[in-house]
PDB file of all heavy atoms in Angstrom:
ATOM      1  N   LEU A 385      -3.306 149.442  92.742  1.00 78.00           N
ATOM      2  CA  LEU A 385      -2.787 148.073  92.614  1.00 78.00           C
ATOM      3  C   LEU A 385      -3.897 147.037  92.754  1.00 78.00           C
ATOM      4  O   LEU A 385      -3.730 146.015  93.422  1.00 78.00           O
ATOM      5  CB  LEU A 385      -1.673 147.826  93.635  1.00 78.00           C
ATOM      6  CG  LEU A 385      -0.452 148.764  93.525  1.00 78.00           C
ATOM      7  CD1 LEU A 385       0.570 148.439  94.609  1.00 78.00           C
ATOM      8  CD2 LEU A 385       0.185 148.648  92.134  1.00 78.00           C
ATOM      9  N   ASP A 386      -5.023 147.332  92.138  1.00 74.00           N
ATOM     10  CA  ASP A 386      -6.159 146.402  92.069  1.00 74.00           C
ATOM     11  C   ASP A 386      -6.703 146.016  93.447  1.00 74.00           C
ATOM     12  O   ASP A 386      -7.340 144.982  93.600  1.00 74.00           O
ATOM     13  CB  ASP A 386      -5.771 145.136  91.293  1.00 74.00           C
ATOM     14  CG  ASP A 386      -6.993 144.365  90.812  1.00 74.00           C
ATOM     15  OD1 ASP A 386      -8.033 144.999  90.563  1.00 74.00           O
ATOM     16  OD2 ASP A 386      -6.903 143.128  90.697  1.00 74.00           O
ATOM     17  N   GLY A 387      -6.438 146.843  94.448  1.00 76.00           N
ATOM     18  CA  GLY A 387      -6.994 146.582  95.777  1.00 76.00           C
ATOM     19  C   GLY A 387      -6.338 145.440  96.525  1.00 76.00           C
ATOM     20  O   GLY A 387      -6.868 144.980  97.549  1.00 76.00           O
ATOM     21  N   ALA A 388      -5.193 144.965  96.041  1.00 78.00           N
ATOM     22  CA  ALA A 388      -4.557 143.804  96.671  1.00 78.00           C
ATOM     23  C   ALA A 388      -4.212 144.067  98.125  1.00 78.00           C
ATOM     24  O   ALA A 388      -4.391 143.198  98.992  1.00 78.00           O
ATOM     25  CB  ALA A 388      -3.301 143.416  95.895  1.00 78.00           C
ATOM     26  N   PHE A 389      -3.722 145.259  98.418  1.00 83.00           N
ATOM     27  CA  PHE A 389      -3.279 145.529  99.784  1.00 83.00           C
ATOM     28  C   PHE A 389      -4.439 145.870 100.706  1.00 83.00           C
ATOM     29  O   PHE A 389      -4.338 145.690 101.924  1.00 83.00           O
ATOM     30  CB  PHE A 389      -2.213 146.625  99.788  1.00 83.00           C
ATOM     31  CG  PHE A 389      -0.897 146.159  99.230  1.00 83.00           C
ATOM     32  CD1 PHE A 389      -0.480 146.554  97.964  1.00 83.00           C
ATOM     33  CD2 PHE A 389      -0.097 145.303  99.954  1.00 83.00           C
ATOM     34  CE1 PHE A 389       0.728 146.111  97.450  1.00 83.00           C
ATOM     35  CE2 PHE A 389       1.113 144.854  99.448  1.00 83.00           C
ATOM     36  CZ  PHE A 389       1.526 145.253  98.195  1.00 83.00           C
ATOM     37  N   ALA A 390      -5.552 146.349 100.140  1.00 80.00           N
ATOM     38  CA  ALA A 390      -6.744 146.544 100.963  1.00 80.00           C
ATOM     39  C   ALA A 390      -7.226 145.209 101.512  1.00 80.00           C
ATOM     40  O   ALA A 390      -7.702 145.114 102.653  1.00 80.00           O
ATOM     41  CB  ALA A 390      -7.850 147.202 100.135  1.00 80.00           C
ATOM     42  N   SER A 391      -7.094 144.168 100.706  1.00 78.00           N
ATOM     43  CA  SER A 391      -7.426 142.828 101.163  1.00 78.00           C
ATOM     44  C   SER A 391      -6.349 142.279 102.088  1.00 78.00           C
ATOM     45  O   SER A 391      -6.632 141.704 103.133  1.00 78.00           O
ATOM     46  CB  SER A 391      -7.590 141.887  99.960  1.00 78.00           C
ATOM     47  OG  SER A 391      -7.783 140.562 100.379  1.00 78.00           O
ATOM     48  N   SER A 392      -5.098 142.482 101.702  1.00 80.00           N
ATOM     49  CA  SER A 392      -3.987 141.918 102.456  1.00 80.00           C
ATOM     50  C   SER A 392      -3.921 142.448 103.882  1.00 80.00           C
ATOM     51  O   SER A 392      -3.610 141.705 104.819  1.00 80.00           O
ATOM     52  CB  SER A 392      -2.672 142.210 101.734  1.00 80.00           C
ATOM     53  OG  SER A 392      -1.581 141.614 102.395  1.00 80.00           O
ATOM     54  N   ILE A 393      -4.235 143.736 104.082  1.00 81.00           N
ATOM     55  CA  ILE A 393      -4.170 144.295 105.434  1.00 81.00           C
ATOM     56  C   ILE A 393      -5.189 143.633 106.351  1.00 81.00           C
ATOM     57  O   ILE A 393      -4.996 143.543 107.569  1.00 81.00           O
ATOM     58  CB  ILE A 393      -4.380 145.831 105.407  1.00 81.00           C
ATOM     59  CG1 ILE A 393      -3.984 146.463 106.742  1.00 81.00           C
ATOM     60  CG2 ILE A 393      -5.817 146.179 105.068  1.00 81.00           C
ATOM     61  CD1 ILE A 393      -2.520 146.373 107.068  1.00 81.00           C
ATOM     62  N   LEU A 394      -6.280 143.137 105.772  1.00 79.00           N
ATOM     63  CA  LEU A 394      -7.310 142.469 106.559  1.00 79.00           C
ATOM     64  C   LEU A 394      -6.988 140.999 106.821  1.00 79.00           C
ATOM     65  O   LEU A 394      -7.450 140.422 107.800  1.00 79.00           O
ATOM     66  CB  LEU A 394      -8.662 142.568 105.843  1.00 79.00           C
ATOM     67  CG  LEU A 394      -9.246 143.975 105.694  1.00 79.00           C
ATOM     68  CD1 LEU A 394     -10.504 143.931 104.842  1.00 79.00           C
ATOM     69  CD2 LEU A 394      -9.552 144.588 107.052  1.00 79.00           C
ATOM     70  N   THR A 395      -6.232 140.389 105.929  1.00 78.00           N
ATOM     71  CA  THR A 395      -6.000 138.939 106.029  1.00 78.00           C
ATOM     72  C   THR A 395      -4.577 138.568 106.436  1.00 78.00           C
ATOM     73  O   THR A 395      -4.305 137.391 106.673  1.00 78.00           O
ATOM     74  CB  THR A 395      -6.313 138.259 104.687  1.00 78.00           C
ATOM     75  OG1 THR A 395      -5.470 138.807 103.669  1.00 78.00           O
ATOM     76  CG2 THR A 395      -7.764 138.474 104.301  1.00 78.00           C
ATOM     77  N   ALA A 396      -3.675 139.556 106.527  1.00 78.00           N
ATOM     78  CA  ALA A 396      -2.277 139.234 106.836  1.00 78.00           C
ATOM     79  C   ALA A 396      -2.126 138.559 108.201  1.00 78.00           C
ATOM     80  O   ALA A 396      -1.210 137.759 108.410  1.00 78.00           O
ATOM     81  CB  ALA A 396      -1.422 140.504 106.787  1.00 78.00           C
ATOM     82  N   ASN A 397      -3.032 138.877 109.123  1.00 78.00           N
ATOM     83  CA  ASN A 397      -2.944 138.248 110.439  1.00 78.00           C
ATOM     84  C   ASN A 397      -3.171 136.746 110.378  1.00 78.00           C
ATOM     85  O   ASN A 397      -2.762 136.005 111.289  1.00 78.00           O
ATOM     86  CB  ASN A 397      -3.940 138.890 111.411  1.00 78.00           C
ATOM     87  CG  ASN A 397      -3.490 140.264 111.869  1.00 78.00           C
ATOM     88  OD1 ASN A 397      -2.318 140.614 111.761  1.00 78.00           O
ATOM     89  ND2 ASN A 397      -4.422 141.063 112.366  1.00 78.00           N
ATOM     90  N   ASP A 398      -3.871 136.288 109.315  1.00 78.00           N
ATOM     91  CA  ASP A 398      -4.043 134.841 109.145  1.00 78.00           C
ATOM     92  C   ASP A 398      -2.685 134.141 109.130  1.00 78.00           C
ATOM     93  O   ASP A 398      -2.525 133.040 109.670  1.00 78.00           O
ATOM     94  CB  ASP A 398      -4.743 134.523 107.811  1.00 78.00           C
ATOM     95  CG  ASP A 398      -6.145 135.092 107.725  1.00 78.00           C
ATOM     96  OD1 ASP A 398      -6.636 135.603 108.738  1.00 78.00           O
ATOM     97  OD2 ASP A 398      -6.735 135.017 106.635  1.00 78.00           O
ATOM     98  N   MET A 399      -1.726 134.789 108.472  1.00 78.00           N
ATOM     99  CA  MET A 399      -0.428 134.149 108.235  1.00 78.00           C
ATOM    100  C   MET A 399       0.334 133.894 109.522  1.00 78.00           C
ATOM    101  O   MET A 399       1.123 132.955 109.608  1.00 78.00           O
ATOM    102  CB  MET A 399       0.412 135.028 107.308  1.00 78.00           C
ATOM    103  CG  MET A 399      -0.204 135.281 105.954  1.00 78.00           C
ATOM    104  SD  MET A 399      -0.129 133.826 104.898  1.00 78.00           S
ATOM    105  CE  MET A 399       1.626 133.744 104.572  1.00 78.00           C
TER     106      MET A 399
END
Side-chain angles (χ1 to χ4, degrees):
L385 301 179
D386 198 30
F389 288 105
S391 174
S392 183
I393 194 66
L394 295 174
T395 60
N397 286 341
D398 297 352
M399 300 287 290

